[in-house]
Short mmCIF file of all heavy atoms in Angstrom, two decimals:
data_model
loop_
_atom_site.label_atom_id
_atom_site.label_comp_id
_atom_site.label_asym_id
_atom_site.label_seq_id
_atom_site.Cartn_x
_atom_site.Cartn_y
_atom_site.Cartn_z
N SER A 674 11.88 9.68 8.74
CA SER A 674 10.90 8.64 8.67
C SER A 674 9.51 9.27 8.33
O SER A 674 9.11 10.32 8.86
CB SER A 674 10.75 7.89 10.00
OG SER A 674 9.68 6.98 9.99
N SER A 675 8.80 8.56 7.48
CA SER A 675 7.40 9.00 7.08
C SER A 675 6.37 8.57 8.13
O SER A 675 5.24 8.91 7.99
CB SER A 675 7.07 8.45 5.72
OG SER A 675 7.07 7.02 5.76
N LEU A 676 6.82 7.82 9.14
CA LEU A 676 5.87 7.33 10.19
C LEU A 676 5.64 8.37 11.28
O LEU A 676 4.75 8.19 12.11
CB LEU A 676 6.40 6.06 10.81
CG LEU A 676 6.52 4.84 9.85
CD1 LEU A 676 7.07 3.63 10.57
CD2 LEU A 676 5.18 4.55 9.25
N LEU A 677 6.45 9.40 11.32
CA LEU A 677 6.30 10.41 12.41
C LEU A 677 5.84 11.72 11.86
O LEU A 677 6.16 12.13 10.74
CB LEU A 677 7.69 10.61 13.08
CG LEU A 677 8.26 9.40 13.84
CD1 LEU A 677 9.61 9.72 14.43
CD2 LEU A 677 7.29 8.94 14.94
N ALA A 678 5.03 12.38 12.61
CA ALA A 678 4.49 13.72 12.27
C ALA A 678 4.89 14.70 13.42
O ALA A 678 5.16 14.26 14.55
CB ALA A 678 2.98 13.69 12.08
N TYR A 679 4.90 15.97 13.07
CA TYR A 679 5.39 16.95 14.00
C TYR A 679 4.48 18.17 13.99
O TYR A 679 3.73 18.40 13.04
CB TYR A 679 6.85 17.37 13.64
CG TYR A 679 7.77 16.24 13.40
CD1 TYR A 679 7.86 15.61 12.17
CD2 TYR A 679 8.55 15.70 14.44
CE1 TYR A 679 8.71 14.53 11.91
CE2 TYR A 679 9.39 14.61 14.23
CZ TYR A 679 9.45 14.06 12.96
OH TYR A 679 10.31 12.96 12.74
N THR A 680 4.60 18.98 15.02
CA THR A 680 3.93 20.27 15.06
C THR A 680 5.01 21.36 15.19
O THR A 680 5.96 21.21 15.99
CB THR A 680 2.98 20.34 16.27
OG1 THR A 680 3.69 20.08 17.45
CG2 THR A 680 1.87 19.36 16.09
N LEU A 681 4.81 22.39 14.41
CA LEU A 681 5.80 23.49 14.42
C LEU A 681 5.13 24.78 14.85
O LEU A 681 4.02 25.08 14.43
CB LEU A 681 6.38 23.64 12.98
CG LEU A 681 7.55 24.63 12.82
CD1 LEU A 681 8.51 24.16 11.71
CD2 LEU A 681 7.07 26.02 12.51
N THR A 682 5.77 25.50 15.73
CA THR A 682 5.29 26.80 16.22
C THR A 682 6.37 27.81 16.00
O THR A 682 7.53 27.57 16.32
CB THR A 682 4.94 26.65 17.74
OG1 THR A 682 3.97 25.67 17.91
CG2 THR A 682 4.35 28.02 18.16
N LEU A 683 5.96 28.93 15.40
CA LEU A 683 6.88 30.02 15.17
C LEU A 683 6.51 31.20 16.08
O LEU A 683 5.43 31.84 15.85
CB LEU A 683 6.83 30.45 13.69
CG LEU A 683 8.03 31.17 13.15
CD1 LEU A 683 9.26 30.27 13.16
CD2 LEU A 683 7.76 31.66 11.74
N GLY A 684 7.34 31.43 17.05
CA GLY A 684 7.05 32.60 17.96
C GLY A 684 7.63 33.88 17.36
O GLY A 684 8.84 34.07 17.34
N ASN A 685 6.75 34.73 16.85
CA ASN A 685 7.15 35.95 16.18
C ASN A 685 6.25 37.08 16.62
O ASN A 685 5.05 37.03 16.42
CB ASN A 685 7.07 35.73 14.64
CG ASN A 685 7.43 37.01 13.91
OD1 ASN A 685 8.18 37.87 14.39
ND2 ASN A 685 6.94 37.12 12.67
N ARG A 686 6.85 38.07 17.24
CA ARG A 686 6.04 39.22 17.70
C ARG A 686 5.67 40.16 16.55
O ARG A 686 4.73 40.95 16.70
CB ARG A 686 6.85 40.05 18.74
CG ARG A 686 7.18 39.22 20.00
CD ARG A 686 7.92 40.06 20.97
NE ARG A 686 8.27 39.30 22.20
CZ ARG A 686 9.00 39.82 23.20
NH1 ARG A 686 9.44 41.07 23.14
NH2 ARG A 686 9.21 39.05 24.24
N GLY A 687 6.34 40.09 15.40
CA GLY A 687 6.04 40.95 14.30
C GLY A 687 6.55 42.36 14.54
O GLY A 687 7.09 42.70 15.62
N CYS A 688 6.40 43.13 13.54
CA CYS A 688 6.86 44.55 13.61
C CYS A 688 5.78 45.53 13.26
O CYS A 688 6.07 46.62 12.84
CB CYS A 688 8.10 44.76 12.76
SG CYS A 688 7.88 44.34 11.04
N GLY A 689 4.54 45.13 13.39
CA GLY A 689 3.43 46.01 13.07
C GLY A 689 2.99 45.88 11.62
O GLY A 689 3.82 45.65 10.72
N GLU A 690 1.72 46.01 11.45
CA GLU A 690 1.18 45.80 10.10
C GLU A 690 1.68 46.81 9.09
O GLU A 690 1.91 46.51 7.91
CB GLU A 690 -0.38 45.81 10.17
CG GLU A 690 -1.04 45.49 8.85
CD GLU A 690 -2.55 45.39 9.00
OE1 GLU A 690 -3.03 45.48 10.13
OE2 GLU A 690 -3.23 45.18 7.98
N GLY A 691 1.91 48.04 9.53
CA GLY A 691 2.37 49.03 8.57
C GLY A 691 3.82 48.90 8.23
O GLY A 691 4.20 49.32 7.09
N ASN A 692 4.65 48.36 9.07
CA ASN A 692 6.08 48.29 8.80
C ASN A 692 6.48 46.95 8.25
O ASN A 692 7.68 46.77 7.89
CB ASN A 692 6.84 48.56 10.07
CG ASN A 692 6.57 49.95 10.65
OD1 ASN A 692 6.39 50.88 9.85
ND2 ASN A 692 6.47 50.06 11.97
N GLU A 693 5.64 45.99 8.18
CA GLU A 693 5.97 44.61 7.80
C GLU A 693 5.82 44.45 6.29
O GLU A 693 4.75 44.69 5.75
CB GLU A 693 5.04 43.63 8.51
CG GLU A 693 5.52 42.18 8.43
CD GLU A 693 4.64 41.32 9.32
OE1 GLU A 693 3.39 41.43 9.22
OE2 GLU A 693 5.16 40.52 10.12
N LEU A 694 6.91 44.06 5.63
CA LEU A 694 6.88 43.89 4.16
C LEU A 694 6.17 42.57 3.81
O LEU A 694 5.41 42.49 2.85
CB LEU A 694 8.29 43.89 3.58
CG LEU A 694 9.10 45.18 3.81
CD1 LEU A 694 10.45 45.10 3.18
CD2 LEU A 694 8.31 46.41 3.24
N PHE A 695 6.42 41.53 4.57
CA PHE A 695 5.77 40.24 4.35
C PHE A 695 5.83 39.41 5.64
O PHE A 695 6.68 39.72 6.52
CB PHE A 695 6.45 39.47 3.21
CG PHE A 695 7.88 39.08 3.46
CD1 PHE A 695 8.17 37.79 3.96
CD2 PHE A 695 8.90 39.96 3.26
CE1 PHE A 695 9.49 37.46 4.16
CE2 PHE A 695 10.24 39.60 3.47
CZ PHE A 695 10.51 38.30 3.96
N THR A 696 4.98 38.47 5.77
CA THR A 696 4.97 37.63 6.96
C THR A 696 5.81 36.38 6.71
O THR A 696 6.15 36.03 5.58
CB THR A 696 3.51 37.16 7.25
OG1 THR A 696 2.94 36.54 6.12
CG2 THR A 696 2.66 38.39 7.61
N PRO A 697 6.20 35.68 7.79
CA PRO A 697 7.11 34.54 7.62
C PRO A 697 6.61 33.50 6.65
O PRO A 697 5.43 33.11 6.70
CB PRO A 697 7.24 33.97 9.04
CG PRO A 697 6.99 35.16 9.94
CD PRO A 697 5.94 35.98 9.22
N LEU A 698 7.49 33.03 5.80
CA LEU A 698 7.17 31.99 4.81
C LEU A 698 8.17 30.84 5.03
O LEU A 698 9.34 31.03 5.14
CB LEU A 698 7.34 32.55 3.41
CG LEU A 698 7.30 31.55 2.23
CD1 LEU A 698 5.93 30.96 2.15
CD2 LEU A 698 7.70 32.22 0.94
N LEU A 699 7.58 29.59 5.18
CA LEU A 699 8.37 28.47 5.51
C LEU A 699 8.24 27.44 4.37
O LEU A 699 7.17 27.16 3.87
CB LEU A 699 7.92 27.82 6.83
CG LEU A 699 8.72 26.60 7.26
CD1 LEU A 699 10.10 27.00 7.76
CD2 LEU A 699 7.98 25.82 8.35
N ARG A 700 9.36 26.83 4.07
CA ARG A 700 9.40 25.69 3.13
C ARG A 700 10.05 24.48 3.84
O ARG A 700 11.17 24.62 4.30
CB ARG A 700 10.18 26.05 1.88
CG ARG A 700 10.50 24.84 0.99
CD ARG A 700 11.42 25.22 -0.18
NE ARG A 700 11.83 24.05 -0.93
CZ ARG A 700 13.13 23.71 -1.14
NH1 ARG A 700 14.08 24.47 -0.61
NH2 ARG A 700 13.45 22.65 -1.83
N GLN A 701 9.30 23.38 3.93
CA GLN A 701 9.93 22.11 4.38
C GLN A 701 10.25 21.32 3.13
O GLN A 701 9.45 21.28 2.17
CB GLN A 701 8.96 21.35 5.32
CG GLN A 701 7.84 20.69 4.63
CD GLN A 701 7.19 19.55 5.41
OE1 GLN A 701 6.45 19.87 6.35
NE2 GLN A 701 7.44 18.35 4.99
N TYR A 702 11.34 20.62 3.13
CA TYR A 702 11.71 19.92 1.91
C TYR A 702 12.59 18.69 2.18
O TYR A 702 13.32 18.67 3.20
CB TYR A 702 12.46 20.90 0.93
CG TYR A 702 13.76 21.43 1.40
CD1 TYR A 702 14.96 20.80 1.01
CD2 TYR A 702 13.85 22.58 2.14
CE1 TYR A 702 16.17 21.29 1.42
CE2 TYR A 702 15.06 23.09 2.57
CZ TYR A 702 16.22 22.41 2.20
OH TYR A 702 17.44 22.94 2.61
N LEU A 703 12.49 17.79 1.25
CA LEU A 703 13.39 16.61 1.17
C LEU A 703 14.03 16.63 -0.21
O LEU A 703 13.44 17.08 -1.21
CB LEU A 703 12.61 15.29 1.33
CG LEU A 703 12.07 14.93 2.69
CD1 LEU A 703 11.15 13.74 2.59
CD2 LEU A 703 13.19 14.62 3.69
N SER A 704 15.26 16.13 -0.23
CA SER A 704 15.96 16.10 -1.51
C SER A 704 15.70 14.79 -2.25
O SER A 704 15.99 14.70 -3.44
CB SER A 704 17.48 16.27 -1.30
OG SER A 704 17.97 15.24 -0.40
N ASN A 705 15.22 13.76 -1.57
CA ASN A 705 14.89 12.47 -2.21
C ASN A 705 13.75 11.85 -1.42
O ASN A 705 14.00 11.38 -0.31
CB ASN A 705 16.11 11.58 -2.30
CG ASN A 705 15.73 10.20 -2.88
OD1 ASN A 705 14.91 10.13 -3.81
ND2 ASN A 705 16.33 9.13 -2.35
N PRO A 706 12.56 11.76 -1.97
CA PRO A 706 12.18 12.37 -3.23
C PRO A 706 12.02 13.85 -3.13
O PRO A 706 12.15 14.41 -2.05
CB PRO A 706 10.78 11.72 -3.47
CG PRO A 706 10.28 11.47 -2.13
CD PRO A 706 11.45 11.09 -1.29
N TYR A 707 11.76 14.51 -4.24
CA TYR A 707 11.61 15.96 -4.29
C TYR A 707 10.23 16.37 -3.71
O TYR A 707 9.25 16.46 -4.44
CB TYR A 707 11.81 16.53 -5.67
CG TYR A 707 13.24 16.39 -6.18
CD1 TYR A 707 13.51 15.58 -7.24
CD2 TYR A 707 14.26 17.11 -5.56
CE1 TYR A 707 14.81 15.45 -7.71
CE2 TYR A 707 15.54 16.97 -6.06
CZ TYR A 707 15.84 16.15 -7.11
OH TYR A 707 17.16 16.02 -7.56
N GLU A 708 10.19 16.52 -2.42
CA GLU A 708 8.98 16.94 -1.77
C GLU A 708 9.16 18.19 -1.03
O GLU A 708 9.99 18.31 -0.09
CB GLU A 708 8.48 15.87 -0.81
CG GLU A 708 7.16 16.24 -0.13
CD GLU A 708 6.70 15.25 0.95
OE1 GLU A 708 7.58 14.54 1.48
OE2 GLU A 708 5.52 15.18 1.23
N SER A 709 8.42 19.26 -1.43
CA SER A 709 8.45 20.54 -0.73
C SER A 709 7.05 20.93 -0.37
O SER A 709 6.11 20.69 -1.12
CB SER A 709 9.08 21.61 -1.60
OG SER A 709 10.44 21.36 -1.83
N LYS A 710 6.89 21.55 0.77
CA LYS A 710 5.61 22.03 1.22
C LYS A 710 5.88 23.48 1.74
O LYS A 710 6.85 23.77 2.42
CB LYS A 710 4.98 21.23 2.36
CG LYS A 710 4.63 19.78 1.92
CD LYS A 710 4.04 19.04 3.10
CE LYS A 710 3.71 17.62 2.72
NZ LYS A 710 3.10 16.85 3.84
N TYR A 711 4.91 24.38 1.38
CA TYR A 711 5.02 25.77 1.76
C TYR A 711 3.98 26.09 2.84
O TYR A 711 2.82 25.59 2.74
CB TYR A 711 4.92 26.68 0.59
CG TYR A 711 6.03 26.56 -0.42
CD1 TYR A 711 5.98 25.71 -1.48
CD2 TYR A 711 7.22 27.31 -0.27
CE1 TYR A 711 7.02 25.58 -2.39
CE2 TYR A 711 8.26 27.19 -1.17
CZ TYR A 711 8.16 26.32 -2.24
OH TYR A 711 9.17 26.22 -3.13
N PHE A 712 4.34 26.96 3.78
CA PHE A 712 3.43 27.46 4.80
C PHE A 712 3.48 28.97 4.82
O PHE A 712 4.56 29.51 5.09
CB PHE A 712 3.80 26.86 6.15
CG PHE A 712 3.80 25.36 6.19
CD1 PHE A 712 4.96 24.65 5.95
CD2 PHE A 712 2.64 24.65 6.47
CE1 PHE A 712 5.01 23.27 5.96
CE2 PHE A 712 2.63 23.26 6.48
CZ PHE A 712 3.80 22.56 6.23
N VAL A 713 2.40 29.60 4.49
CA VAL A 713 2.37 31.06 4.40
C VAL A 713 1.80 31.64 5.64
O VAL A 713 1.06 31.00 6.37
CB VAL A 713 1.54 31.52 3.17
CG1 VAL A 713 2.19 31.03 1.88
CG2 VAL A 713 0.09 31.02 3.27
N ASN A 714 2.24 32.89 5.95
CA ASN A 714 1.73 33.59 7.12
C ASN A 714 1.88 32.71 8.36
O ASN A 714 0.90 32.48 9.12
CB ASN A 714 0.34 34.07 6.92
CG ASN A 714 -0.11 35.10 7.95
OD1 ASN A 714 0.71 35.71 8.62
ND2 ASN A 714 -1.43 35.26 8.09
N LEU A 715 3.04 32.16 8.55
CA LEU A 715 3.25 31.05 9.45
C LEU A 715 3.17 31.45 10.93
O LEU A 715 3.81 32.40 11.37
CB LEU A 715 4.63 30.39 9.20
CG LEU A 715 4.97 29.21 10.08
CD1 LEU A 715 4.01 28.06 9.89
CD2 LEU A 715 6.40 28.80 9.82
N LYS A 716 2.36 30.72 11.62
CA LYS A 716 2.30 30.72 13.10
C LYS A 716 2.39 29.31 13.64
O LYS A 716 3.17 29.05 14.57
CB LYS A 716 1.06 31.44 13.60
CG LYS A 716 0.92 32.91 13.23
CD LYS A 716 -0.35 33.52 13.78
CE LYS A 716 -0.41 34.98 13.43
NZ LYS A 716 -0.58 35.21 11.99
N HIS A 717 1.51 28.45 13.11
CA HIS A 717 1.52 27.03 13.47
C HIS A 717 1.46 26.24 12.20
O HIS A 717 0.84 26.63 11.23
CB HIS A 717 0.35 26.70 14.39
CG HIS A 717 0.27 27.49 15.64
ND1 HIS A 717 1.05 27.24 16.73
CD2 HIS A 717 -0.45 28.64 15.95
CE1 HIS A 717 0.77 28.13 17.73
NE2 HIS A 717 -0.13 28.98 17.24
N ALA A 718 2.05 25.02 12.21
CA ALA A 718 2.05 24.16 11.06
C ALA A 718 2.13 22.72 11.44
O ALA A 718 2.78 22.39 12.47
CB ALA A 718 3.22 24.53 10.09
N ASN A 719 1.47 21.84 10.66
CA ASN A 719 1.61 20.42 10.82
C ASN A 719 2.68 19.92 9.82
O ASN A 719 2.55 20.16 8.64
CB ASN A 719 0.29 19.72 10.54
CG ASN A 719 -0.76 20.00 11.63
OD1 ASN A 719 -0.44 20.09 12.81
ND2 ASN A 719 -1.98 20.10 11.19
N ILE A 720 3.66 19.22 10.36
CA ILE A 720 4.78 18.74 9.52
C ILE A 720 4.71 17.25 9.43
O ILE A 720 4.70 16.53 10.37
CB ILE A 720 6.15 19.19 10.14
CG1 ILE A 720 6.14 20.70 10.39
CG2 ILE A 720 7.27 18.74 9.23
CD1 ILE A 720 6.03 21.54 9.15
#
Side-chain angles (χ1 to χ4, degrees):
S674 175
S675 61
L676 296 178
L677 295 178
Y679 311 87
T680 57
L681 187 149
T682 303
L683 202 65
N685 178 25
R686 297 181 181 178
C688 55
E690 185 173 356
N692 301 323
E693 193 173 48
L694 300 180
F695 64 97
T696 56
L698 170 65
L699 181 73
R700 169 187 173 238
Q701 73 160 77
Y702 65 95
L703 287 171
S704 58
N705 177 37
Y707 291 113
E708 181 185 25
S709 294
K710 296 180 183 179
Y711 293 93
F712 302 92
V713 297
N714 194 17
L715 179 63
K716 296 182 179 66
H717 304 279
N719 291 323
I720 306 298

